[in-house]
Amino acid sequence: MLESNKESLKLEAMKRIVGLIAKGRNASDLFPAVVKNVASKNIELKKLVYVYLVRYAEEQQDLALLSISTFQRALKDPNQFIRASALRVLSSIRVPIIVPIMMLAIKEAAADLSPYVRKTSAHAIQKLYSLDPDQKEQLIEVIEKLLKDKSTLVAGSVVMAFEEVCPDRIDLIHKNYRKLCNLLVDVEEWGQVVIISMLTRYARTQFTSPWKEGTVFDENNEKAFYDSDSEEKKGQTDAKPYIMDPDHRLLLRNTKPLLQSRNTAVVMSVAQLYWHLAPKHEVNVVTKSLVRLLRSHRKVRLFGLFEPFLKSFYVRSTDASHIKTLKLEILTNLANEANISIILREFQTYVKSQDKAFAAATIQAIGRCATNISEVTDTCLNGLVLLLSNRDEIVVAESVVVIKKLLQTQPSQHSEIIKHMAKLFDNITVPMARASILWLIGEYCERVPKIAPDVLRKMAKTFTTEEDIVKLQTVNLAAKLYLTNSKQTKLLTQYILNLGKYDQNYDIRDRTRFIRQLIVPSEKSGSLNKYARRILLAPKPAPVLESSFKDRDRYQLGTLSHSLNIKATGYQELVDWPAVAPDQSVRNVEVIEPSGSESEEESSEESEKTSSDSGKSSSGSEESSSESESEQKKKKKTKKVLLKKSKPTAADRYSKIPSVCQTLKASFFFPVNSVCPDVACFLFVTTPAFGPVKTHELLHHMTGKGLSAKYHFPRQPCLYQPSMVAVQVILSNSSDHSLEEIHIGDRNPASLNIHCFNTIERLEPEASVTVSMGIDFSDSTQAANFQLCTKDDQFNVSIQPAVGELLMPSTMTEQDFCKEQGKLNLSLPQYNAAAVVRALCLMALTRLLLFPCRFAGRTVSSGALVLVSLELKESSTALLTINTEKSVMASMLLRDLKQALSQA
């Protein structure tokens, strides 16, 4: 199929191959046949070929190098996705010989007009750095350039490259700090995680600590000034107020909204930022967001903030094992004198769990509570003793081990417990538990003088069949009883030492020889014998019951090192706060445009100078050609300022007349550059920066039996097919049970071309997920009807686009616009109505429109050209002309514009 002359067969072949790769199958043998199609003119085929090459370029380096010229040509392709894919393949060929080519490609891509290509160049930086670290300095130059990029698509990727290549170059962040803080809320989720982590480190080097003891936390300078003379101030200690740096506050303020993110990693990143940077009294803002995550994803603990949310950490039967362990840890840390009775009652339930590892962990938690809170030590001990009668060996064994540790703290008060454990000894079979009981009896044998010898007698009978750990403790018990009660146990001890002498385990044989020489007087034992009692019966320090999560504070919260409790590769230490904050002026960015405070005098002077200069130029005098360099620069600068002052930005225009903004945004292009008279530059309003994206209801939760769906048009090129309109759908589960296998079902008509989203295997209660689709509307506003299905139900839904969603912008010169306008024989008559006149005159007065306005675009599906021109005549009449290859499209545009202007 790949060798066929038919593009359709090649496309089908590549779809199958990519499908095999997605399933983990090896398709490397097909590399020669696939790489031949890299120069195909079919965009869809070329995209799939690049997907394949990214996967196998590193494995098939020789063959990939043969096509390197093709990749270089693709870097100039008009399609942004092809340019990006070519760079991705190029950076995947791990051959040092092409490093210069990769470097050149990255530099060119970093200056590309498409933010998607610039984002890909940031990803390529990391690959090139890992291949050749000697390129670091050149890569830093590219990173510095990309850090100035204002696109939210690029921000996360370039910060990731910064963290990989030069994390110590904090100076690169200074000028971009405020911009990154302000862009943060619009960056994609994983970019937010990276940026927050980087800004956390940055803040710890640039701002002073808000945790200083003995200072009054006060961000208001005026308050400190006016209170300085008050009598109340005189009575206070002379504490210096803490004034938070405005940039420090900017970071905290701009990250706070991200606590509502649906991405757990983002919420955790904000939580760790607040934990490490915020004043202590502000850290509690993260608690509710973290508690909200308990019902869904993994989390990391924070101490001292969650006491009001104790019940939120109760273990559920549906929780995974690691979640149960973490919740148990949190409950143990939250335990205090006030709530310990509630927590212990909850622990009693956990001990009965079918998950034996969890039950054992609960017993350890009870032991830690008993150690930390002396008021409940006896209660915990009695409860653990009751567990010794449990039928489950694991529960009994863990109880014995914990009791042993607890008794070491107060052995004199608990001889009865030791006697009780001795009575249960015959019924306990777990080696660790038996060994623990033997150790306890031996250690405190003088407090149970009647029971200890009898236990040794029983162990002598079963010594040869016991586990090694039990044999070792039996030898220890015999030695201690020989020293304290030789009369009753001398013969038993000799018998056990003889058995141990010939044991198969060399550790037991060595221990037996050592004990014999230590306790039994002989000529060979020498002077060590008299110290036997001090050696074997020396007082031992009580063990500390510690959590497996201890000592994690030394790692930054939320990092891999913090989770693993070991320093992972690439971990960067979070430095201490500086004693004195560095100069904050390094973050000041030079403002190009003059501020509003500058008087109109400057602009009038500049305009007079500009007009006089232009007069000189037009008269063609010799003086204009002999002007000095400085004067020319001054004139250019003045002209640049004039243009910026006289021409409002698109955002300014939209903010002046919101009603016009909302409607025109749904249907039309809008010019952003009318400075140069011979070039018309047009931009389709594709981002929500100028107003909220309108969301439509696709399926109500009542109709969908708990499943609800909303959709909107992101106004971006469709990634799946150029002829499709991109649609984003937000699916939510408002029921009390999980929804399974959510997918797209039948279509109406069946020929409707839809790129469906992948099946969602499970959607938990209260959870939401955003998926992307592509729909070919065939240049029509007729609705696309299809079924939205779950495992058990099917729901009929429809998506209907506004006419503006069927158009994409097109850039052309004014000359080409007029030329194309003349070619199109289909033209609607000029439209002149009172509504149009009123609206356009108003826009002209407020400088919303610069006349004449020309809009150019093409339909998404067929690529048909659409030209729209607006003119304001001397008689205060507005003329609208629409030229298009499709009369239906012209009618729809005219209808929408009439409606928009009449509403305005």
Side-chain angles (χ1 to χ4, degrees), residues 212-226:
K212 292 179 180 177
E213 295 181 4
T215 59
V216 180
F217 188 85
D218 182 10
E219 294 184 51
N220 193 343
N221 285 315
E222 294 180 1
K223 184 177 179 182
F225 174 80
Y226 289 121

Side-chain angles (χ1 to χ4, degrees), residues 5-22:
N5 293 327
K6 295 183 178 180
E7 294 288 333
S8 59
L9 287 176
K10 291 182 178 180
L11 188 60
E12 180 62 28
M14 286 309 305
K15 287 181 179 178
R16 293 187 186 182
I17 292 170
V18 172
L20 290 173
I21 295 173

Side-chain angles (χ1 to χ4, degrees), residues 599-701:
S599 62
E600 293 182 357
E601 266 179 30
E602 285 186 21
S603 59
S604 62
E605 288 174 5
E606 288 167 348
S607 60
E608 286 175 9
K609 180 170 176 57
T610 307
S611 61
S612 63
D613 289 341
S614 60
K616 290 177 184 178
S617 176
S618 60
S619 63
S621 63
E622 293 180 1
E623 290 179 7
S624 61
S625 60
S626 62
E627 285 175 331
S628 66
E629 252 184 340
S630 61
E631 287 178 336
Q632 289 178 359
K633 287 180 180 178
K634 192 173 182 182
K635 275 173 47 178
K636 287 179 182 177
K637 184 177 180 182
T638 306
K639 186 173 181 180
K640 184 178 181 182
V641 171
L642 254 180
L643 292 173
K644 288 190 174 182
K645 287 178 71 69
S646 63
K647 178 186 169 293
T649 64
D652 293 334
R653 295 171 178 176
Y654 273 116
S655 63
K656 290 178 181 177
I657 304 182
S659 57
V660 175
C661 155
Q662 292 301 319
T663 318
L664 289 185
K665 178 172 174 285
S667 302
F668 275 87
F669 314 117
F670 208 88
V672 294
N673 183 11
S674 303
V675 175
C676 186
D678 57 339
V679 178
C681 192
F682 306 102
L683 176 71
F684 186 56
V685 183
T686 58
T687 70
F690 305 117
V693 173
K694 187 174 181 181
T695 302
H696 310 271
E697 185 171 75
L698 184 64
L699 179 66
H700 193 271
H701 68 89

Side-chain angles (χ1 to χ4, degrees), residues 324-325 381 436 457 476 763 887:
K324 290 179 181 177
T325 306
L381 260 175
S436 297
R457 177 183 60 80
N476 287 343
L763 188 62
S887 58

Side-chain angles (χ1 to χ4, degrees), residues 408-423:
Q408 285 183 261
T409 61
Q410 298 171 311
S412 60
Q413 302 176 21
H414 301 292
S415 58
E416 291 300 320
I417 294 178
I418 298 175
K419 292 177 183 178
H420 182 69
M421 293 173 70
K423 291 177 183 177

Side-chain angles (χ1 to χ4, degrees), residues 108-126:
E108 291 181 354
D112 197 280
L113 292 176
S114 167
Y116 182 72
V117 178
R118 300 199 297 273
K119 174 189 177 82
T120 308
S121 73
H123 293 166
I125 288 173
Q126 303 169 59

